[in-house]
Amino acid sequence: MIQSGQAIPSVKTQLINADGTMETTSDAVLGSGLVVFFSVPGAFTPTCHLNHLPSFVANAAKLRAAGVDRIVCAAVNDKHVVKTWAEASGALGEIDFLADGNAELADALGLAKDMSASGMGRRFTRSAALIRDGIMQQIFLEDAPGVTATGAPAILMALETAKA
């Protein structure tokens, strides 16, 4: 798993944002300024759709006021599903999305999880991270179902602690 102080790897991915969908690389998206990056097991899955993503949408202004330049959500889904999820959730424009259809970014970051037992294949582990200029600063993982350590309130607390 990627550690604090390590550079974000360069992996081809699809960026979905208010400007549309485009091919890019993970280091291009996550490599400038202070980025909050969070990963979810899947678009439209209950916890991701009802808890994790909404916490970042609701706190986007607070995160930006705390110095965050970009908020990025990654999911192991194709670009069409991720785009539809971004639109349906009202997050497009507040959050940028990375569609990691083949779990290549999840693998490169060491955040892939085998969820085959539940019929989901390889997915992202639920996580959140603070990345500054392409260097991992802090990473948070959930060790149980739900969203506690990786939700926007926890990231806001981490940002506040870092200022102290």
Side-chain angles (χ1 to χ4, degrees):
M1 180 175 65
I2 191 166
Q3 301 293 314
S4 295
Q6 291 182 319
I8 297 300
S10 181
V11 176
K12 286 184 183 179
T13 188
Q14 298 285 325
L15 173 67
I16 296 97
N17 63 19
D19 296 328
T21 302
M22 63 204 78
E23 261 191 47
T24 187
T25 59
S26 51
D27 57 328
V29 174
L30 304 172
S32 180
L34 179 59
V35 178
V36 170
F37 171 77
F38 67 103
S39 64
V40 298
F44 290 111
T45 58
T47 302
C48 305
H49 185 65
L50 300 173
N51 299 85
H52 207 177
L53 177 59
S55 79
F56 284 96
V57 174
N59 287 286
K62 289 179 183 176
L63 288 162
R64 287 191 178 83
V68 171
D69 298 300
R70 189 174 209 175
I71 306 165
V72 180
C73 175
V76 179
N77 293 102
D78 67 69
K79 65 184 179 182
H80 307 290
V81 170
V82 174
K83 181 176 187 270
T84 301
W85 184 43
E87 292 169 344
S89 65
L92 206 55
E94 292 291 339
I95 313 286
D96 292 339
F97 292 82
L98 292 177
D100 186 27
N102 294 321
E104 292 169 359
L105 179 57
D107 284 334
L109 293 170
L111 295 173
K113 181 178 181 178
D114 184 1
M115 298 180 74
S116 297
S118 60
M120 294 175 67
R122 294 182 57 69
R123 297 294 178 129
F124 262 108
T125 297
R126 187 175 309 284
S127 71
L130 295 171
I131 302 166
R132 185 175 300 278
D133 296 325
I135 305 297
M136 180 62 68
Q137 302 297 300
Q138 290 181 279
I139 188 158
F140 309 90
L141 304 173
E142 293 295 346
D143 57 6
V147 179
T148 55
T150 63
I155 299 306
L156 283 165
M157 285 178 33
L159 287 165
E160 190 62 34
T161 301
K163 286 183 184 178

